[in-house]
Amino acid sequence: MTDLTRMAAWEALELHAGKHRDRHLRELFTADARRAQRFAFRLDDLLVDLSKQRLSSETLALLLELARATDLEAWRDAMFRGERINTTEDRAVLHVALRNRSGRPMQVDGQDVMPDVLAVLERLERFTGDVREGRWLGHTGARITNVVNIGIGGSDLGPAMVTEALWPYGTADLRVHFVSNVDDSHLQQVCRDLDPAETLFIVASKTFTTDETMTNARSARSWLVERLGDEAAVARHMVAVSTNEEAVRAFGIDPDAMFGFWDWVGGRYSLWSAIGLPIMLAVGYPRFVELLDGAHAMDEHFRTAPLAENLPVLLGLVGIWNRNFLGAGTHAILPYDQRLARLAAYLQQADMESNGKSVRRDGHRVDYATGPILFGEPGTNSQHSFFQLLHQGTELVPADFIVAARSTTALGDHHLRLLANCLAQTEALAFGKTPEEARHELEAQGLTGEALEAMLPHKLFAGNQPTTTIVYDELTPYALGRLLALYEHVIFVQGQIWGLNSYDQWGVELGKQLAKRILPVLQGEADGQDLPPPTRALIEEVLQRRR
Ligand code: G6Q
C-alpha cells in the first residue's frame, strides 16, 4: 500500500489547500455567479448541494484524482462482487445484496446469495402479515398490539431510527418499542404499560451472545412467563432474529420462529435484513420493500455513475477535504425533520464504528486524521442549543442539512417555517455578518459611540462554516432508504481512501472483556485482587453504598 500522504494526488491537494484554505465562501460566491448551480448534484429528486462547501472546481478535480489514485472504483467493485474485503474478520461485505431488487445474482464464494435473501424476505412478509392482520395470536388468543425489539448497537439503532422516521406509515393498533440498554430501567419503562398477553418480543442479535441483549431477553421471558403463568407462552410471544440457530434454540425459541441472516451482513449495516422486522411490523411489508428499493437505487448509482457525478463519492471526498485539508474534527448531522430525530445516533455508530480507526487495513498506523466525531440533533431544536458554537465558536464544524420539500403529515404552515429556518441557517453559517453589516444594524437600533463599539464584537459572525444541503421531495420509505444507502457508501468511500477496514470493530472489545472480570467481583464471586487499584477502589465504593 502506498502511503496516502506520499501520493502525488495527496501532495497536490496539500499544496492547493495552502492557497485555497483561507478563501471565504463570500468570495467564492462573488467570483462565480453560477456557483449554486455548478455544485448542485442530483439523483432523481435528491439534490446534494455542495456549493456552500469551501472548495472550488479545482479542489473537486484534485479530490477525484485522489479517489482514482487510491483505487476506489476497484474496491467498490470488489465489495459488490462479494470479495472478503473485511479482512480481519475474513468476511464479505454484502449488505447491498439485501436490497438487490434487480433480479441479478450476487455471490459470496461463488455461491449466489439471492435465493436465501429472498426466501427469508418471503417468510418475513408472511409473518408480518400474520401479526398485523391478527392471524398470529398470543398465548391467550389475544391479538398482538405491542412489539418490543430487544437488541443493541446494529441490532437496535437502525430499526429504531427507521421505525421512528416512518411513523406516519404505521398504525396505532400495533406499536413498536425498542429496548437496548442493560440498565433495567429501559426494559421496565417499556413494559410498564404493556399487557403481556398482547406483546411480542423480538430478540434481535446476530451472535445471540451479546450480554445486554441476552440479559434483557431473559428478563422479558420471566416477565411473560410470570404474568401469563405458562412456559408455553414463550412460543407465541418471542421470536428471534439471528445468525446463530444453535444459541436461539438453546434460549428456548423454536427455529421456526427465527429469521436468519448471514455473516456477510455487518451489524451496523443490517437494518435491511431480518433485523428490519420491527420496521416491517410497524409499517407493513410493502413499505419495507420501498425502503429497500430506495437503497437499491442508490446502490446502482454508486456502482455505475461516473465518479464526478457520483453522490456518495462526492460527499465522501468533501468529508476528506474538510477532515484532512481544512482540519475539521467534527461533523454535524442536522436533519430538519423530527422524524429523523435518531438519524445522528444511527450515523454515529455507522460512521464512527466504521472509520474511527488509526491502523490501516495492512496493519500500519496512519499518519493522517481519519473519521471525525459525528453529532447532531434535529433542526430547529438544535438552533436553540448548540448552534451558538457553530456561529460564533472557535471550531470548524462542517454540517449536513437534510430536509424534505414537503411534509408527509402537513399541518398549516409548519413545514414552510421549518424550511425557512433550514435555509436561513446554511446562509448564516456560510456568509456570517461583517463588521459593516453589524454596525449598520446597531446604528439602526439607535446605538452610537462607546455603547455601539462595546456591542459590536458580540454581533459579528465569521461565517465560512462549510455545509451541505440535502433536499428531496418527501421523506417516503423510498427516500429514506436512498438517503441511508448514500451515507453508507460515503463511509465506504472515506474508509477506502484512508486505507481502513471499515467493517470490523475491534475497538469495542476491550471494555467488554474488562466488564467480564469486574462482574464476578461485584457479585461477590471473586476478590478482584487482579484488578488495577483505581478499579478496585471504585468497586469498594459502590459495594459499600449498596450494603
Ligand atoms: C455493529 C456492531 C455492534 C453489534 C452489537 C450487537 O456493527 O457489530 O453494534 O451490532 O454489538 O451485536 P449482536 O447483534 O450480535 O447482538
Side-chain angles (χ1 to χ4, degrees), residues 113-168:
V113 299
M114 290 314 299
D116 283 351
V117 169
L118 298 174
V120 175
L121 277 177
E122 234 180 84
R123 285 188 59 221
L124 288 162
E125 177 179 15
R126 211 172 319 125
F127 179 71
T128 302
D130 286 350
V131 174
R132 285 173 60 92
E133 285 149 36
R135 288 185 296 275
W136 175 286
L137 300 172
H139 183 64
T140 64
R143 262 182 95 132
I144 300 297
T145 56
N146 284 280
V147 172
V148 181
N149 188 79
I150 298 180
I152 195 165
S155 300
D156 166 71
L157 287 161
M161 178 269 298
V162 172
T163 301
E164 179 160 355
L166 297 185
W167 78 260

Side-chain angles (χ1 to χ4, degrees), residues 353-419:
E353 201 167 69
S354 297
N355 289 339
K357 290 163 192 169
S358 51
V359 168
R360 297 188 321 208
R361 203 190 294 116
D362 63 5
H364 285 86
R365 232 192 130 70
V366 300
D367 58 356
Y368 42 86
T370 62
I373 295 166
L374 259 77
F375 70 103
E377 279 290 322
T380 57
N381 298 4
S382 44
Q383 290 171 205
H384 295 263
S385 66
F386 58 76
F387 268 47
Q388 166 64 37
L389 183 147
L390 271 50
H391 286 297
Q392 291 187 316
T394 53
E395 290 294 312
L396 176 69
V397 186
D400 293 354
F401 283 72
I402 304 165
V403 74
R406 58 169 183 265
S407 163
T408 307
T409 48
L411 175 66
D413 66 355
H414 283 244
H415 201 73
L416 292 180
R417 291 175 187 275
L418 184 74
L419 278 163

Side-chain angles (χ1 to χ4, degrees), residues 2-76:
T2 321
D3 282 350
L4 183 60
T5 50
R6 275 181 212 105
M7 284 182 173
W10 184 278
E11 285 171 355
L13 273 161
E14 272 190 329
L15 209 68
H16 171 73
K19 288 180 277 175
H20 187 89
R21 200 177 279 131
D22 296 325
R23 293 188 72 186
H24 198 285
L25 280 164
R26 279 180 180 254
E27 187 193 331
L28 295 175
F29 274 95
T30 310
D32 180 0
R34 290 194 45 80
R35 185 174 168 87
Q37 288 73 26
R38 205 180 304 284
F39 289 93
F41 299 89
R42 292 167 203 275
L43 171 62
D44 303 326
D45 65 300
L46 176 66
L47 163 73
V48 174
D49 173 8
L50 299 178
S51 65
K52 296 195 197 76
Q53 289 290 342
R54 286 164 52 174
L55 39 74
S56 64
S57 300
E58 191 190 348
T59 320
L60 263 193
L62 291 171
L63 286 165
L64 286 164
E65 203 40 58
L66 181 70
R68 284 186 205 101
T70 51
D71 284 335
L72 177 65
E73 285 161 292
W75 280 90
R76 174 197 62 194

Side-chain angles (χ1 to χ4, degrees), residues 127-148 171-177 194-202 223-224 228 233-239 281-282:
F127 179 71
T128 302
D130 286 350
V131 174
R132 285 173 60 92
E133 285 149 36
R135 288 185 296 275
W136 175 286
L137 300 172
H139 183 64
T140 64
R143 262 182 95 132
I144 300 297
T145 56
N146 284 280
V147 172
V148 181
T171 134
D173 301 338
L174 189 64
R175 296 185 185 277
V176 179
H177 317 264
L194 299 186
D195 176 354
E198 299 180 359
T199 301
L200 176 74
F201 288 94
I202 303 170
W223 180 80
L224 280 171
L228 296 175
V234 172
R236 306 303 298 172
H237 294 273
M238 287 192 121
V239 298
L281 288 168

Side-chain angles (χ1 to χ4, degrees), residues 152-155 205-208 210 213 266-268 349 353 505:
I152 195 165
S155 300
S205 175
K206 182 175 167 181
T207 55
F208 231 71
T210 303
T213 300
R268 54 194 174 277
Q349 180 193 25
E353 201 167 69
Q505 55 282 316

Side-chain angles (χ1 to χ4, degrees), residues 60 63 104 143 181 196 255 313 337 339 346 477 493:
L60 263 193
L63 286 165
R104 282 192 305 270
R143 262 182 95 132
N181 202 327
V313 173
D337 194 325
R339 288 164 54 194
Y346 166 78
V493 167

